[in-house]
Every structure is written in structure tokens, then in C-alpha cells.
């Protein structure tokens, strides 16, 4: 520490000494802290497990999650399996309802309406993507807002945009929790979100730029959103001054080391399957050049093992929230008893 203070004092003198100082400081700089999404997700799942235990010990029914899975997409089947395993781990009961890829849109909507009316179902999600002949927006809006653990219903999206308490989309909420639990400051900071999807990029931007004093506190950051028509050189102008860069565009190596300022925090939401040039096998990568960017960033999330586990953990939190939201109030219970 004394040596470091002496170096800083040395830097304050001449311009030549300042140049030497920059060389010494840059050479002694450590790599970014790799944020373990798996470790944070374990913490959140422990919190969820405790919530479920307290909920049941208070005399309530065990929360139940229903997942509708359409078609044979291997990735979707893998994601759903991860979700049901996590549910079992925290004490939430679950079921997976399999439907063929040729199911009609009307049949799928009818199934959702039945699950909405089933009092045993607390949380309900339809795994995306759906076959091309089905309107995903119509399906998401068919799910009851109170059971919408994906947070995709237009009512829940609207409440999120108005800074009101609601079901938050699991991936954006997971990114938010990574930032907050890691202690990365957002107040007054510059943030770039690369990607404007309605399920990921847009909600992340909403969470980070909104007012921290509201019912659903936001990050009070200054947020820039880029998209497929943002020229790379323009994107680089924004990322080079950003304190936080969130990559959610689905483009491998979109964010490289020359685009990042020293000490920025980088959150990689991308999940891309590419062929390894050495082994010839496919592997998962994010939107960030991990090895290059970690040399300049202060924090970085890996792929896999970063945002993915957090998405599943936040889904468990939403399922518990749905169970609590669906419990009739004391006045409603009295009316139900009186009318029976």
C-alpha cells in the first residue's frame, strides 16, 4: 500500500512522470472479477426455499408451477428441465404439459384459460419460442397477469414501465440482482444495453433508468439502447464511455476489448452456440469476447454460468410471489364462506 501511495504521489509531478505512472498502473492492474451467476443463484434459491418453508408452515398450500412446452426443440426441453429441477430444489411443486408442435393457436389458448381457472396453479408459463403458426404475443397475453411468472403479459410490462410492483421478467430481474448484489453502482452512471428485445433488452433498460424512489425502485442510471441498425462505430462511441455494458443482442463477440473503458462492468446475457475451431465441437459463448474484455473490465459475467442460472432463480421467486398474490384476503375469505 505504501508503494502504491508513493507511485500516486510520483504521478502528480511532471507530465513525463505521469506517462511512466500510467504504464506502471496499467501493468499492475488485475483482471476483472468474474461474477459467478451460479453462486448468486444458489443464494437466491436458498432465500426462495426459506420463503416456501415459511409459507407452508403458516398453513398455506405448497406453491405450484405449470409449464406448457410445445414441440420438440431440444434447447426448450433443456431449459424447462432446469426450471422444474429448480422448483423441486426450493420446494415448489411443478408439472410440464407437453403439446405437439402442430397444436393450433386456439387449442393452446384454451389450455391456458383452463390453467388460469385452476386454483391449484399458482405460476404459469409457456416456454418460448413457439412454432411459427402461433402468435406469441397473443399467447403471453392469454396467461393471467397474476400467474404470469415470465412477466410477459402486457399488464405486467405496463406496471414495470410505471415503476409499480409487478412480476418482473426473470432474465432482466436476474441482471438487476447481479448488479445490486455485486455492489456495482448505478446512480448517475452511464449504461449501454446492446439489444432491444421486448423480453430482455427493453426491460433491463427500464429497470436501470427509472427512479429509485418509486414503488418498484429503479437504478437512476443514464441508459443508451443499441440495436441491429446501430453502426458498430456508433455503438463503440457509447460503450467506450459506459460504466456498465449489458450485451443482449445474440451476436457472438459483439463487444470486444477495444470497445470497453478501463474498469467498466460487463454483463453478458447472450447465449450463442458456435463451433469450436480447435475441437470442431459446438460450444456456448456470449455476446462478449470474454478473454479480451476481462483484461479491461472491473466485473464480468461468464457464459455459461453467469446470467442463465439467475434467470431460473428469479423464476422461482416469481412463482412464490404469484402464490402469495393469489391467496384471498381476509375479507374475500369471509365472503366466500358466507356465499357457500
Amino acid at each position: 500500500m505504501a508503494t502504491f501511495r508513493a507511485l500516486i504521489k510520483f504521478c502528480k509531478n511532471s507530465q513525463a512522470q505521469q506517462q511512466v505512472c500510467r504504464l506502471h498502473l496499467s501493468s499492475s492492474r488485475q483482471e476483472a472479477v468474474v461474477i459467478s451467476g451460479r453462486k448468486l443463484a444458489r443464494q437466491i434459491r436458498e432465500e426462495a426455499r426459506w420463503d416456501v418453508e415459511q409459507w407452508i408452515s403458516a398453513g398455506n398450500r405448497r406453491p405450484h408451477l405449470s409449464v406448457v412446452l410445445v414441440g420438440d426443440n431440444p434447447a426448450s426441453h433443456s431449459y424447462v428441465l432446469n426450471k422444474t429441477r429448480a422448483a423441486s430444489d426450493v420446494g415448489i411443486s411443478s408439472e410440464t404439459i407437453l403439446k405437439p408442435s402442430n397444436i393450433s393457436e386456439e387449442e393452446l389458448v384454451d389450455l391456458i384459460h383452463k390453467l388460469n381457472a385452476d386454483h391449484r396453479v399458482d405460476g404459469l408459463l409457456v416456454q418460448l419460442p413457439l412454432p411459427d403458426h402461433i402468435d406469441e404475443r397473443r399467447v403471453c397475453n392469454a396467461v393471467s397477469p397474476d400467474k404470469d411468472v415470465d412477466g410477459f403479459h402486457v399488464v405486467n410490462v405496463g406496471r414495470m414501465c410505471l415503476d409499480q410492483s409487478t412480476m418482473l421478467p426473470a432474465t432482466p430481474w436476474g441482471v438487476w440482482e447481479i448488479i445490486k448484489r455485486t455492489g456495482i453502482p448505478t446512480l448517475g452512471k452511464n449504461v449501454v444495453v446492446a439489444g432491444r428485445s421486448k423480453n430482455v433488452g427493453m426491460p433491463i433498460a427500464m429497470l436501470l433508468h427509472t427512479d429509485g424512489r418509486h414503488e418498484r425502485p429503479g437504478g437512476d442510471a443514464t441508459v443508451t439502447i443499441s440495436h441491429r441498425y446501430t453502426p458498430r462505430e456508433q455503438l463503440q462511441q457509447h460503450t467506450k464511455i459506459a460504466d456498465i455494458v449489458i450485451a443482449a443482442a445474440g451476436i457472438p463477440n459483439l463487444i470486444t476489448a477495444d470497445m470497453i473503458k478501463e474498469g467498466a462492468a460487463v454483463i453478458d446475457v447472450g447465449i450463442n452456440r458456435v463451433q469450436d475451431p480447435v475441437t470442431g465441437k459446438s460450444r456456448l459463448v456470449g455476446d462478449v469476447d470474454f478473454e479480451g474484455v476481462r483484461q479491461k473490465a472491473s466485473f464480468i459475467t461468464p457464459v455459461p454460468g453467469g446470467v442463465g442460472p439467475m434467470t431460473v432463480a428469479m423464476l422461482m421467486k416469481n412463482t412464490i410471489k404469484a402464490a402469495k398474490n393469489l391467496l384471498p384476503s381476509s375479507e374475500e375469505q369471509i365472503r366466500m364462506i358466507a356465499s357457500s
Side-chain angles (χ1 to χ4, degrees), residues 87-112:
S88 175
D89 178 58
V90 303
I92 294 172
S93 64
S94 68
E95 64 175 337
T96 302
I97 303 171
L98 298 173
K99 292 296 176 181
S101 58
N102 63 355
I103 186 175
S104 72
E105 185 174 303
E106 292 303 324
E107 288 175 316
L108 182 56
V109 170
D110 286 345
L111 171 62
I112 293 169

Side-chain angles (χ1 to χ4, degrees), residues 27-46:
S27 64
S28 63
R29 189 190 179 282
Q30 294 183 346
E31 292 181 347
V33 173
V34 179
I35 302 170
S36 173
R38 291 191 177 101
K39 183 176 180 180
L40 289 174
R42 281 197 297 270
Q43 295 175 2
I44 292 169
R45 281 161 67 159
E46 287 172 5

Side-chain angles (χ1 to χ4, degrees), residues 68-73 76 99-105 108-109 112 125-141 143 152:
V68 179
L69 177 55
V70 178
D72 303 315
N73 185 317
S76 292
K99 292 296 176 181
S101 58
N102 63 355
I103 186 175
S104 72
E105 185 174 303
L108 182 56
V109 170
I112 293 169
L125 71 86
V126 180
Q127 182 65 37
L128 303 180
L130 292 170
D132 291 340
H133 67 278
I134 298 177
D135 182 351
E136 287 188 355
R137 176 41 52 196
R138 183 188 176 200
V139 169
C140 289
N141 285 339
V143 176
F152 292 163

Side-chain angles (χ1 to χ4, degrees), residues 286-328:
D287 290 358
V288 175
D289 174 16
F290 182 82
E291 293 302 330
V293 171
R294 73 186 299 186
Q295 305 300 324
K296 293 180 70 176
S298 58
F299 294 94
I300 190 169
T301 60
V303 176
V307 175
M310 292 293 289
T311 297
V312 177
M314 303 326 296
L315 186 66
M316 299 303 106
K317 285 277 198 176
N318 267 347
T319 303
I320 297 167
K321 185 173 184 177
K324 294 180 178 180
N325 287 344
L326 289 174
L327 183 69

Side-chain angles (χ1 to χ4, degrees), residues 159-176:
R159 290 181 62 85
M160 176 190 66
C161 292
L162 293 172
D163 303 350
Q164 297 176 352
S165 179
T166 190
M167 296 282 196
L168 295 175
T171 296
W173 192 12
V175 170
W176 171 267

Side-chain angles (χ1 to χ4, degrees), residues 37-303:
R38 291 191 177 101
K39 183 176 180 180
L40 289 174
R42 281 197 297 270
Q43 295 175 2
I44 292 169
R45 281 161 67 159
E46 287 172 5
E47 295 169 9
R49 191 179 302 111
W50 186 88
D51 284 343
V52 170
E53 290 171 356
Q54 294 299 306
W55 180 248
I56 294 174
S57 65
N60 299 298
R61 178 177 47 80
R62 185 177 299 278
H64 180 81
L65 172 66
S66 292
V67 182
V68 179
L69 177 55
V70 178
D72 303 315
N73 185 317
S76 292
H77 278 256
S78 176
Y79 295 149
V80 168
L81 182 60
N82 287 340
K83 292 169 184 179
T84 54
R85 282 175 174 171
S88 175
D89 178 58
V90 303
I92 294 172
S93 64
S94 68
E95 64 175 337
T96 302
I97 303 171
L98 298 173
K99 292 296 176 181
S101 58
N102 63 355
I103 186 175
S104 72
E105 185 174 303
E106 292 303 324
E107 288 175 316
L108 182 56
V109 170
D110 286 345
L111 171 62
I112 293 169
H113 288 160
K114 290 177 182 177
L115 294 169
N116 286 339
D118 189 340
H119 72 277
R120 297 168 298 179
V121 176
D122 300 298
L124 170 59
L125 71 86
V126 180
Q127 182 65 37
L128 303 180
L130 292 170
D132 291 340
H133 67 278
I134 298 177
D135 182 351
E136 287 188 355
R137 176 41 52 196
R138 183 188 176 200
V139 169
C140 289
N141 285 339
V143 176
S144 168
D146 291 331
K147 297 187 177 186
D148 172 35
V149 293
D150 264 337
F152 292 163
H153 191 285
V154 65
V155 168
N156 288 327
V157 173
R159 290 181 62 85
M160 176 190 66
C161 292
L162 293 172
D163 303 350
Q164 297 176 352
S165 179
T166 190
M167 296 282 196
L168 295 175
T171 296
W173 192 12
V175 170
W176 171 267
E177 288 295 322
I178 285 173
I179 290 171
K180 290 302 174 185
R181 290 176 185 246
T182 306
I184 299 169
T186 59
L187 180 70
K189 300 298 183 180
N190 286 322
V191 178
V192 170
V193 179
R196 62 178 176 183
S197 72
K198 296 299 180 283
N199 296 341
V200 180
M202 184 275 287
I204 289 173
M206 292 301 304
L207 293 177
L208 286 169
H209 93 268
T210 47
D211 197 324
R213 301 169 299 176
H214 288 175
E215 179 183 341
R216 193 269 302 147
D220 286 310
T222 301
V223 179
T224 300
I225 305 176
S226 71
H227 47 77
R228 70 180 70 182
Y229 298 114
T230 305
R232 185 177 178 83
E233 59 272 17
Q234 184 178 338
L235 172 60
Q236 185 170 7
Q237 291 175 6
H238 292 295
T239 56
K240 284 183 76 71
I241 63 171
D243 303 293
I244 303 172
V245 175
I246 300 169
I251 302 174
N253 290 324
L254 174 67
I255 304 298
T256 51
D258 60 314
M259 302 172 69
I260 300 294
K261 78 173 186 179
E262 291 280 350
V266 181
I267 310 296
D268 193 349
V269 188
I271 301 177
N272 310 288
R273 192 169 291 278
V274 300
Q275 189 175 41
D276 191 301
V278 177
T279 65
K281 298 180 179 180
S282 66
R283 62 188 180 93
L284 287 180
V285 299
D287 290 358
V288 175
D289 174 16
F290 182 82
E291 293 302 330
V293 171
R294 73 186 299 186
Q295 305 300 324
K296 293 180 70 176
S298 58
F299 294 94
I300 190 169
T301 60
V303 176

